[in-house]
Amino acid sequence: MNYLGVLMGAILLTAPVYAASADQRGTGDLGIVVERAAGRIQIFDSSQRTKLASVSELGDLSHASAVFSRDARYAYVFGRDGGLSKVDLLTGNLEKRVAQAGNSIGGAISQDGKLVAVSNYEPGGVRVFDAGTLEPLADIPTGSKVVGLVDAPDQRFVFSLYDLGEIWLVDMSVPAAPKITKYPNIGQNPYDALITPDGRYYVAGLFGEDGMALLDLWHPDKGVRRILDGYGRGEEPLPVYKMPHLEGVAIAGKNAFLPAVGRHEILVVDMDNDWQEVGRIPVHGQAVFAVARPDGRQIWVNFAHPANDTVQVIDAATLKVVHSIQPGPAVLHLEFTPRGEQVWISVRDADRVDVYDTRSMALLGSLPADKPSGIFMTARAHRIGY
């Protein structure tokens, strides 16, 4: 054996050996369920489909969402009352909670995992915190309710202003000195937004008119342009019982599947063909979430009241509804396991979360939960816009 081989053998023989103890585990198959009425979250193991812990005293969780730290150990929970909570998923402890505003609608974590941004209704604006300590780093007043806040590549955040009809792009490379680019006159009342999985396109939905606003983050100097203008032209819109969500929207291949405001349809948009509409899929009711299975083959859709007991499955190849299930009253959210073999569905008024096999459509089991709403799995830690 040559000298290098002897040296490498010595290194291997003398390297420390770490034995996993019973209380050590990874976080890749963990997630949380928001128990909205109780101000509490459940931490669960998606492999075993079991509850691991509960974390209480998180405030008003009636419209709560969450993001995860880079190492997927910590969940940052955004409460409707403006609370920002940092939860340790391994210990089940509430590490810290700050009341950063009066009314909050969500948040995002930066590309490098060091910044947590919160979007606010009251007093409006975006506030940015150190992800480790939750100490405030930046305050970005907007004079408007903020919606559709997402992280973007190159240490940026993007969000929309509901009252002013604007999109703002913020470079947080220097947290103490945010660089803000404003795009005015994008349309009336942007209500939510998405960023495509590759981080290139930011799309804001409009509640005040039929259409959407698109910003190409590869070419932000070209400004915002309108897409899907007048998609409801000539038709009377239906009453809107619950606003659809665009964050986490279904992207399958070259197509995006977008809920149409005030209609019982999913719009199919060809992203490679200048974001032109290429089809419409009639569905059971007014869609709230349209979520793609991780492989993009299926689109799972839930609905607003009074059709909120049903979930439909669209085949992305044929653009047809191929399956319907009725988990129970008030289906609020859907979340896939990282590779998509299961989907977890919150059934608020039945006080449980149901787990379905996405191939056979069989019900695999249920997890008791007190008025569950959002379900968030740690795989989001490594995805843009989640």
Side-chain angles (χ1 to χ4, degrees):
M1 181 180 295
N2 60 30
Y3 175 77
L4 179 60
V6 172
L7 179 60
M8 291 300 295
I11 291 172
L12 290 173
L13 288 172
T14 58
V17 177
Y18 297 99
S21 64
D23 60 350
Q24 288 181 322
R25 63 159 300 148
T27 58
D29 59 354
L30 300 187
I32 66 171
V33 175
V34 173
E35 296 182 303
R36 55 186 291 157
R40 181 175 63 218
I41 63 168
Q42 273 195 42
I43 302 170
F44 65 82
D45 177 332
S46 66
S47 295
Q48 302 299 321
R49 300 196 292 275
T50 56
K51 171 184 173 180
L52 299 179
S54 290
V55 183
S56 303
E57 300 182 357
L58 302 184
D60 182 355
L61 300 186
S62 59
H63 194 284
S65 61
V67 297
F68 296 94
S69 60
R70 188 185 184 96
D71 61 2
R73 176 168 181 171
Y74 298 99
Y76 299 90
V77 182
F78 308 101
R80 191 58 186 261
D81 58 0
L84 167 60
S85 302
K86 181 180 180 181
V87 176
D88 188 329
L89 300 179
L90 291 181
T91 65
N93 291 329
L94 173 59
E95 293 286 302
K96 189 171 183 179
R97 184 174 188 271
V98 295
Q100 58 84 44
N103 190 329
S104 178
I105 199 66
I109 191 163
S110 63
Q111 183 179 38
D112 65 1
K114 295 180 179 180
L115 308 175
V116 176
V118 190
S119 57
N120 294 313
Y121 269 16
E122 179 61 43
V126 171
R127 289 179 173 161
V128 183
F129 298 84
D130 182 287
T133 64
L134 296 194
E135 293 301 313
L137 296 177
D139 189 356
I140 305 171
T142 60
S144 169
K145 297 175 183 175
V146 175
V147 298
L149 170 64
V150 300
D151 61 282
D154 299 323
Q155 202 67 358
R156 295 176 293 177
F157 292 114
V158 197
F159 51 85
S160 299
L161 307 186
Y162 179 85
D163 303 299
L164 300 181
E166 298 183 0
I167 291 173
W168 287 17
L169 174 62
V170 182
D171 185 334
M172 292 296 298
S173 299
V174 181
K179 295 181 181 178
I180 302 172
T181 304
K182 302 178 182 180
Y183 301 90
N185 304 316
I186 67 164
Q188 295 180 32
N189 303 128
Y191 65 88
D192 197 10
L194 68 94
I195 189 168
T196 52
D198 60 2
R200 177 169 182 177
Y201 295 105
Y202 177 84
V203 180
L206 303 175
F207 185 63
E209 53 191 293
D210 288 346
M212 297 187 180
L214 181 144
L215 175 63
D216 184 344
L217 296 173
W218 287 11
H219 306 286
D221 54 305
K222 294 183 177 180
V224 172
R225 64 185 180 89
R226 293 291 295 274
I227 61 173
L228 302 173
D229 254 340
Y231 62 74
R233 189 178 292 114
E235 301 177 33
E236 185 69 24
L238 299 166
V240 177
Y241 296 104
K242 183 174 176 60
M243 295 296 291
H245 284 256
L246 291 181
E247 188 173 352
V249 77
I251 304 290
K254 65 177 184 174
N255 290 334
F257 295 77
L258 307 174
V261 177
R263 349 206 66 80
H264 294 179
E265 296 172 328
I266 299 293
L267 306 177
V268 185
V269 181
D270 186 341
M271 298 183 295
D272 290 346
N273 185 26
D274 202 32
W275 287 78
Q276 296 295 310
E277 180 185 326
V278 293
R280 296 190 180 196
I281 304 170
V283 289
H284 176 68
Q286 293 180 20
V288 176
F289 283 99
V291 186
R293 198 172 70 178
D295 65 351
R297 182 58 194 270
Q298 296 174 349
I299 315 300
W300 289 59
V301 185
N302 73 323
F303 304 97
H305 175 84
N308 61 4
D309 65 342
T310 298
V311 174
Q312 290 190 312
V313 182
I314 295 169
D315 180 80
T318 63
L319 304 184
K320 295 182 182 300
V321 174
V322 293
H323 196 78
S324 293
I325 58 175
Q326 288 185 303
V331 171
L332 295 191
H333 201 234
L334 312 102
E335 180 85 343
F336 290 96
T337 46
R339 298 198 183 191
E341 77 285 354
Q342 299 173 9
V343 62
W344 289 52
I345 299 175
S346 60
V347 192
R348 183 193 64 195
D349 293 351
D351 291 316
R352 70 174 192 269
V353 173
D354 287 344
V355 184
Y356 285 85
D357 183 297
T358 59
R359 183 178 182 182
S360 69
M361 306 297 171
L363 176 64
L364 299 176
S366 298
L367 194 70
D370 186 358
K371 298 296 179 288
S373 53
I375 306 171
F376 306 93
M377 296 198 187
T378 54
R380 289 171 172 251
H382 309 296
R383 297 167 66 184
I384 296 170
Y386 281 83

